[in-house]
Amino acid sequence: MSKWYIGAGEQNDIVISTRIRFARNIADYPFPCKLNTKSRTELNGKIRDAVQNDNKFGLSFVEMKTLAGFEAASMAERHIISPEFASDAGGRAMLISPDEDICIMLCEEDHIRLQVMRPGFALDEAFSVANEIDDFLNSKFDFAFDSRIGYLTQCPTNLGTGMRASVMLHLPCLTMNGAITRLISTVSKLGLTIRGAFGEGSEAVGDMYQLSNQITLGISEKAAIENLKSITLQLCAQERAAREEMIKSLDTEDAIFRAYGLLKWSKLISTDELMKNLSLVRLGSVSGKLPVPLKTVNELMISLQPATINAKAGQKLTPRERDFERAKEVRESLA
Amino acid sequence: MLCQNCGKYEATTHVKRIVNGEAAEAHLCSDCAKMLGYEDVFGGFGNIFGSFLGSFLGDTGVERLSARTLQCEKCGSTFNDIVESGKIGCAKCYETFYEKLLPSLQRIHGKTRHEGKIPNKIAVNGDSKKMQIEKLEEELKAAVDAQNYETAATLRDRIKELKEGGKNE
């Protein structure tokens, strides 16, 4: 199980985790959309050999076809791989660290999608690790690069640095007071994008948001990260101010304790109900209202998504069976 | 009115755009409108031809024909394939369709010139190698101006390696 959501790290009352992702392609190979399963598998094998001959990062090679559907989906739920990568195993593989904090997806949208995750707010640290692995990979392979438009990627939206830096944020009070709508449109004007971190719809389930850089061409990695840092800190400051105000109200306190009671005593809990109430419990935890460690909240949020419950059970359960297992785990964790 | 692109069929799609501050109108038949990608191309970033229309309107028939049949010699993608799939086929496509892609890059990123990391090991050839060296020389100058001699030394070594024959290491 990955360690990036343990509840530690800077700004952890709001920032759950940090992620850096690089898109790279090997020169002389067409991009994945022009490779069939056989050529993809060959290319993946070459990358595996090059990395494992000199494996200073301790990465294991896993072919996606060897995983059950729910296992791959569970990894996507835990943000270790992309949902798109989980959805199609054909000619795809990954190189992954024991802690799952480093994952290199092979033949996702690009030949190489290198991802590094860290708990809390740790953009510089995550970038430095990703950069080191990138240099290592680059010592083994020539990358597709053009001096005018940078690293070449299958989708032009990733051209340039090929870097997406993102932070996962818990913003319950900016969501409750409605300020988030305005903030979403503001950050989009600053070259960033913000969306729900869980679920597929546009709604931010559990008030969890993913803030990332939108633009990759014409802005250096350092500048993009500094920009993301400064906006993250501003959002944190606004969320804290809203929390300070709202937490004084008896209605907010009531909502927090109701959510806690519901999670503590239910026999069946759906994912939506879990996320909605965990958001309030997390607020209660960081504000000292509830005796629940942040680590427990973060763990419940990540480990009780549908496919992850299936993966733990080793089989595909019915929704009702999952609701039962989910409620049981929550009760045990909060007991 | 006949379609301004093919000149054969009745124009049913009328597009108005501001190109370089001047309003430009295009009248297209439904087939050409579709071919020119009046759908989202690169994942919601708007259609590639929106910003393109200026150059499209200025095209001659001959150029238009060649633009349609121009093909990447490495992976066989045509520009139409790229517009339809929203995916570039290979690195060579970027070279082949560079000019055609630039307006979309401008639209997506607001800029068209890379800033940031340069790989240690690059497959460079011909013009791109020359450009690579030029870019590094610019950076070298900036580093020297900023009295950042450590960076300057690294850049100077890289330029030397490139000039001496391509790949380092």
Side-chain angles (χ1 to χ4, degrees):
Chain A
M1 196 59 90
S2 49
K3 306 287 191 294
W4 53 263
Y5 54 79
I6 48 177
E10 278 184 49
Q11 316 279 340
N12 67 359
D13 56 332
I14 294 169
V15 188
I16 316 280
S17 62
T18 298
R19 176 171 71 186
I20 297 282
R21 195 183 274 175
F22 286 162
R24 299 287 185 255
N25 287 286
I26 312 281
D28 301 330
Y29 277 85
F31 297 152
C33 68
K34 290 278 175 185
L35 293 176
N36 58 25
T37 305
K38 189 168 165 275
S39 332
R40 287 177 180 207
T41 309
E42 274 172 26
L43 178 62
N44 295 343
K46 275 195 182 171
I47 300 173
R48 173 200 61 208
D49 293 346
V51 170
Q52 292 198 329
N53 281 340
D54 181 8
N55 199 357
K56 59 176 171 172
F57 300 99
L59 305 176
S60 321
F61 180 78
V62 180
E63 281 195 286
M64 294 308 286
K65 66 179 182 193
T66 63
L67 297 181
F70 54 75
E71 287 176 309
S74 164
M75 297 189 80
E77 282 174 355
R78 290 179 282 136
H79 296 90
I80 294 157
I81 58 175
S82 64
E84 202 275 319
F85 192 67
S87 69
D88 179 6
R92 287 172 162 180
M94 60 185 168
L95 286 153
I96 187 164
S97 67
D99 277 0
E100 302 181 332
D101 58 342
I102 300 170
C103 181
I104 305 174
M105 290 179 268
L106 303 178
C107 285
E108 202 241 26
E109 200 178 272
D110 295 294
H111 298 146
I112 291 173
R113 280 288 175 94
L114 160 64
Q115 170 175 307
V116 174
M117 296 191 84
R118 283 289 175 271
F121 188 47
L123 282 162
D124 289 329
E125 190 197 332
F127 176 77
S128 135
V129 176
N131 198 37
E132 193 190 337
I133 301 171
D134 182 47
D135 286 344
F136 168 72
L137 291 169
N138 194 195
S139 72
K140 309 283 178 187
F141 296 99
D142 287 343
F143 286 150
F145 182 87
D146 181 293
S147 58
R148 297 163 296 183
I149 51 177
Y151 289 95
L152 302 176
T153 52
Q154 183 173 287
C155 183
T157 54
N158 299 312
L159 273 180
T161 59
M163 181 191 78
R164 297 266 171 224
S166 63
V167 286
M168 197 196 291
L169 306 170
H170 182 223
L171 303 174
C173 291
L174 292 177
T175 310
M176 276 190 266
N177 72 15
I180 195 72
T181 319
R182 176 178 47 83
L183 291 168
I184 287 174
S185 89
T186 308
V187 301
S188 73
K189 289 178 193 132
L190 300 167
L192 299 178
T193 167
I194 186 166
R195 59 175 185 276
F198 288 89
E200 284 163 17
S202 53
E203 194 199 347
V205 182
D207 308 321
M208 303 299 287
Y209 297 85
Q210 190 92 33
L211 178 69
S212 53
N213 64 314
Q214 177 73 58
I215 289 164
T216 53
L217 182 58
I219 177 166
S220 70
E221 293 85 352
K222 193 165 178 287
I225 284 175
E226 288 306 319
N227 190 23
L228 179 60
K229 258 193 210 169
S230 116
I231 307 293
T232 303
L233 291 175
Q234 287 177 45
L235 280 176
C236 286
Q238 294 207 25
E239 169 67 22
R240 279 188 202 113
R243 283 182 186 183
E244 205 177 312
E245 200 50 46
M246 290 172 83
I247 208 84
K248 289 182 198 153
S249 109
L250 186 59
D251 290 329
T252 309
E253 199 176 358
D254 180 60
I256 289 172
F257 277 85
R258 277 170 180 273
Y260 183 51
L262 188 140
L263 292 183
K264 225 175 153 174
W265 299 106
S266 294
K267 289 285 180 182
L268 292 168
I269 301 179
S270 70
T271 313
D272 274 356
E273 196 175 23
L274 172 85
M275 295 300 282
K276 190 166 151 255
N277 290 290
L278 264 185
S279 174
L280 286 161
V281 168
R282 193 174 198 281
L283 182 59
S285 167
V286 292
S287 61
K289 298 268 178 201
L290 292 177
V292 184
L294 203 48
K295 176 179 190 286
T296 308
V297 183
N298 287 357
E299 224 162 62
L300 289 174
M301 184 179 75
I302 304 292
S303 64
L304 297 180
Q305 300 293 317
T308 305
I309 293 181
N310 286 337
K312 202 177 168 196
Q315 57 176 311
K316 199 169 186 318
L317 303 174
T318 66
R320 193 176 166 83
E321 285 169 334
R322 283 199 299 269
D323 290 354
F324 178 78
E325 290 299 323
R326 187 176 292 118
K328 188 166 148 248
E329 290 232 13
V330 174
R331 284 199 312 276
E332 285 168 3
S333 297
L334 296 181
Chain B
M1 181 186 290
L2 290 177
C3 170
Q4 291 181 327
N5 191 47
C6 64
K8 284 183 197 159
Y9 305 107
E10 188 66 19
T12 53
T13 303
H14 306 278
V15 187
K16 207 174 200 172
R17 291 276 168 169
I18 308 294
V19 179
N20 297 329
E22 286 178 29
E25 275 185 77
H27 306 281
L28 306 167
C29 70
S30 62
D31 284 355
C32 288
K34 198 177 164 206
M35 187 199 82
L36 291 172
Y38 280 96
E39 293 160 315
D40 273 4
V41 180
F42 297 126
F45 281 94
N47 84 62
I48 195 168
F49 279 95
S51 52
F52 240 170
L53 215 56
S55 58
F56 149 61
L57 284 171
D59 278 352
T60 66
V62 179
E63 275 166 355
R64 250 182 280 144
L65 191 66
S66 67
R68 273 196 233 175
T69 50
L70 186 62
Q71 210 172 8
C72 171
E73 61 187 46
K74 171 132 183 140
C75 74
S77 291
T78 63
F79 194 59
N80 214 12
D81 292 340
I82 291 173
V83 170
E84 272 174 15
S85 66
K87 291 171 182 167
I88 313 293
C90 69
K92 184 85 184 164
C93 288
Y94 277 110
E95 226 175 289
T96 312
F97 305 112
Y98 181 71
E99 295 296 330
K100 299 225 154 269
L101 285 166
L102 271 185
S104 317
L105 302 187
Q106 176 70 36
R107 201 175 151 109
I108 294 167
H109 295 282
K111 290 189 178 162
T112 55
R113 190 90 198 177
H114 175 57
E115 294 282 334
K117 190 169 181 177
I118 294 175
N120 299 323
K121 209 175 163 191
I122 320 164
V124 276
N125 46 35
D127 283 351
S128 70
K129 178 174 161 184
K130 198 173 137 232
M131 272 179 273
Q132 182 75 36
I133 292 170
E134 280 169 9
K135 177 150 168 80
L136 288 170
E137 279 171 343
E138 272 172 39
E139 282 182 30
L140 175 62
K141 190 173 175 296
V144 171
D145 288 346
Q147 305 196 338
N148 193 345
Y149 298 116
E150 207 175 314
T151 310
T154 316
L155 289 167
R156 193 199 51 221
D157 290 349
R158 222 181 268 171
I159 293 168
K160 193 162 160 251
E161 277 161 3
L162 283 171
K163 282 184 175 166
E164 278 171 4
K167 298 173 190 180
N168 57 17
E169 294 194 36

